[in-house]
């Protein structure tokens, strides 16, 4: 059975990032992150940083940490493929890293061009040394992101939380 | 006309005050190390294309300090879109210095795009940098150095340097150590 529709997970993420004192949010837009991107732009305690390519995000967040700030990365699954070599920076220097990845190409996908990367997102991240956690149900989102923030910044490791396409809902064309 | 890269970097980093430095992989990392190791240097040995974005995150996190990225033409070209991302954030304390030998030096001196006409200062200007300039000789460097230290960013200065091996001066390759000592040095 699907979870109760009372949990609006899209509105829960920003307050959790804020409570964790996340100061920089680097992103390439995805429709699944619309609300979160807007909330980060509207929050004077955060800097929302639009990127031309997801690979820039590893650099930006490494720089943020060098300067004493926490940052997170927002992207869709196809962007993971753009990050692989840049993720070596996180691994070799043990920069804390958290990416929130909206999934495409896995659940009722209409656009087959999303499938090759969507089907390889988890393997690609793991191959690049990133710990992968997954949310399939609305009530999972808040606790998973809260725990992932602690894992990334307290244990100084790279973590990705995949927000599944089933959770987000099929894209309607 | 072009400058000696070691001498140019030595001048940039003399009396550096509270400047924070990020160096791009290969020769720029050796040049920065040759000017004198410092805990406030973050040396890259890989992640090609990441030097300027690291400068961006650092400049936002440390707005009271000058952040100087010293990198190569090849390294910058790999992440050219990052210049647009930097311009969008307008970090006034960020300066990118490109040691432009018009070559991929580390890999055998193959010609880079700047040898074929790409003008990195014009690219930065087009992205919306506050200031962008190309330096060809000592007198132009003399005139630019004060801006590099105190002018309003984001700024990109391409220094045309002689294509030649300068000898390798190798700083630590231990990424965790380089990261941790940097953070300790600036008290975060
Ligand atoms: C992703 C990636 N591709 C290729 C290389 C190989 N590589 C190492 S240094 C370098 C050239 C750097 O040229 P530049 O930044 O201009 O520095 P220079 O030595 O010319 O000063 C290349 C292509 C690499 N390290 N990583
Ligand atoms: Mg070069």
């Amino acid at each position: 059975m699907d979870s109760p529709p009372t949990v609006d997970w899209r509105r829960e993420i920003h307050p959790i990032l804020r409570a964790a004192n996340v100061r920089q949010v680097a992103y390439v837009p995805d429709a699944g992150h619309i609300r979160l991107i807007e909330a980060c732009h509207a929050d004077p305690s955060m800097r929302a940083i639009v990127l031309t390519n997801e690979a820039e995000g590893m650099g930006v967040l490494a720089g943020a940490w060098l300067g004493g700030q926490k940052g997170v990365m927002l992207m869709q699954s196809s962007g993971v493929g753009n990050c692989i070599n840049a993720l070596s920076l996180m691994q070799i220097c043990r920069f804390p890293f958290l990416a929130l990845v909206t999934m495409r190409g896995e659940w009722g996908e209409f656009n087959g061009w999303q499938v090759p990367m969507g089907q390889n997102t988890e393997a690609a991240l793991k191959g690049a040394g990133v710990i992968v956690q997954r949310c399939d149900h609305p009530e999972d989102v808040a606790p998973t992101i809260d725990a992932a923030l602690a894992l990334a910044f307290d244990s100084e490791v790279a973590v990705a939380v995949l927000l599944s396409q089933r959770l987000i809902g099929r894209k309607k064309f | 006309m072009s400058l000696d890269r070691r001498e140019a970097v030595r001048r940039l980093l003399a009396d550096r005050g509270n400047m924070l430095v990020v160096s791009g992989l290969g020769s720029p990392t050796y040049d920065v190390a040759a000017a004198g190791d410092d805990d406030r240097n973050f040396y890259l040995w890989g992640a090609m294309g990441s030097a300027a974005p690291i400068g961006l995150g650092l400049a936002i996190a440390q707005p009271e300090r000058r952040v100087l990225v010293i990198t190569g033409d090849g390294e910058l070209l790999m992440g050219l879109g990052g210049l647009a991302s930097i311009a969008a954030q307008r970090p006034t304390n960020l300066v990118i210095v490109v040691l432009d030998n018009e070559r991929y030096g580390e890999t055998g001196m193959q010609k880079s795009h700047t040898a074929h006409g790409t003008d990195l200062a014009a690219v930065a200007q087009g992205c919306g940098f506050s200031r962008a300039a190309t330096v060809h000789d000592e007198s132009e460097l003399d005139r630019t150095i004060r801006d590099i230290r105190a002018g309003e960013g984001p700024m990109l200065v391409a220094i045309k340097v002689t294509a030649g091996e300068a000898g390798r001066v190798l700083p630590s390759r231990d990424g965790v150590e380089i990261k941790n000592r940097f953070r300790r040095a600036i008290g975060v």
Side-chain angles (χ1 to χ4, degrees):
Chain A
M1 279 300 287
D2 275 0
S3 3
T6 46
V7 177
D8 187 355
W9 62 270
R10 290 169 203 273
R11 295 194 188 280
E12 290 183 331
I13 301 176
H14 171 259
I16 293 169
L17 300 185
R18 196 194 162 99
N21 197 26
V22 168
R23 303 290 304 283
Q24 298 191 30
V25 178
Y27 68 93
V28 173
D30 178 66
H33 283 309
I34 289 175
R35 298 250 187 86
L36 179 54
I37 290 169
E38 285 170 359
C40 295
H41 272 287
D43 183 341
S45 77
M46 288 184 185
R47 183 74 90 96
I49 301 166
V50 64
L51 309 172
T52 70
N53 183 306
E54 290 82 357
E56 293 163 23
M58 319 304 108
V60 169
L61 299 184
W65 184 251
L66 285 174
Q69 290 190 344
K70 291 183 191 172
V72 302
M73 172 86 204
L74 314 179
M75 62 178 152
Q76 68 161 243
S77 46
S78 54
V80 168
N82 289 349
C83 295
I84 302 303
N85 185 51
L87 280 167
S88 62
L89 180 61
M90 305 344 249
Q91 192 176 5
I92 203 72
C93 300
R94 279 196 68 171
F95 279 107
F97 174 71
L98 176 62
L100 306 183
V101 182
T102 44
M103 291 302 298
R104 294 287 308 271
E106 62 169 20
W107 176 263
E109 178 62 62
F110 165 86
N111 179 359
W113 296 55
Q114 288 281 357
V115 174
M117 195 61 236
Q119 288 299 315
N120 285 291
T121 298
E122 186 164 343
L125 284 166
K126 285 184 170 163
V130 180
I131 296 167
V132 180
Q133 303 185 331
R134 211 182 142 82
C135 296
D136 286 305
H137 304 288
E139 68 274 18
D140 292 345
V141 174
T144 303
I145 292 176
D146 192 44
L149 280 161
L151 181 60
F153 290 100
D154 297 342
S155 292
E156 304 196 340
V157 291
V159 185
V161 173
L162 309 185
L163 302 170
S164 79
Q165 194 167 18
R166 184 175 187 180
L167 170 79
I168 295 162
R170 297 185 195 183
K171 182 164 177 166
K172 309 270 191 323
F173 282 87
Chain B
M1 290 270 274
S2 54
L3 288 157
D4 176 70
R5 56 189 304 152
R6 283 284 149 86
E7 190 48 36
V9 171
R10 199 169 291 123
R11 285 195 55 195
L12 290 175
L13 296 182
D15 314 316
R16 64 187 264 176
N18 67 2
M19 210 182 241
L20 308 177
V21 176
V22 178
S23 65
L25 86 171
S27 322
T29 277
Y30 315 145
D31 296 330
V32 170
D37 190 29
D38 191 298
D39 287 358
R40 298 160 304 169
N41 294 346
F42 187 74
Y43 304 109
L44 286 166
W45 285 89
M48 187 168 171
S50 296
I54 292 173
L56 174 59
L58 180 56
I60 291 171
Q62 289 286 322
E64 304 304 324
R65 297 179 197 246
R66 198 97 184 139
V67 175
L68 184 61
V69 174
I70 299 179
T71 192
D73 45 315
E75 204 276 343
L76 187 78
L77 283 159
M78 189 168 281
L80 211 50
L83 295 180
S85 300
I86 288 167
Q89 298 302 322
R90 305 218 157 281
T92 55
N93 56 331
L94 177 61
V95 180
I96 296 171
V97 167
V98 188
L99 301 171
D100 184 6
N101 57 1
E102 306 186 352
R103 298 289 186 282
Y104 292 96
E106 181 76 6
T107 47
M109 287 290 169
Q110 300 88 352
K111 282 186 179 176
S112 82
H113 305 62
T114 59
H116 296 289
T118 298
D119 179 341
L120 294 172
V123 173
Q125 193 92 56
C127 286
F129 271 52
S130 300
R131 178 153 158 58
T134 304
V135 163
H136 304 85
D137 57 32
E138 289 292 342
S139 68
E140 287 177 0
L141 185 61
D142 287 341
R143 273 180 271 131
T144 316
I145 217 154
R146 192 178 315 150
D147 260 7
I148 291 174
R149 296 228 178 102
E152 185 178 328
M155 186 187 311
L156 181 142
V157 177
I159 303 180
K160 292 288 183 182
V161 297
T162 314
E165 294 281 352
R168 292 184 175 171
V169 176
L170 309 181
S172 170
R173 271 166 295 164
D174 181 341
V176 176
E177 168 60 13
I178 300 166
K179 173 194 69 172
N180 286 334
R181 72 173 198 162
F182 186 103
R183 283 169 49 90
R184 268 196 307 275
I186 66 168
V188 301

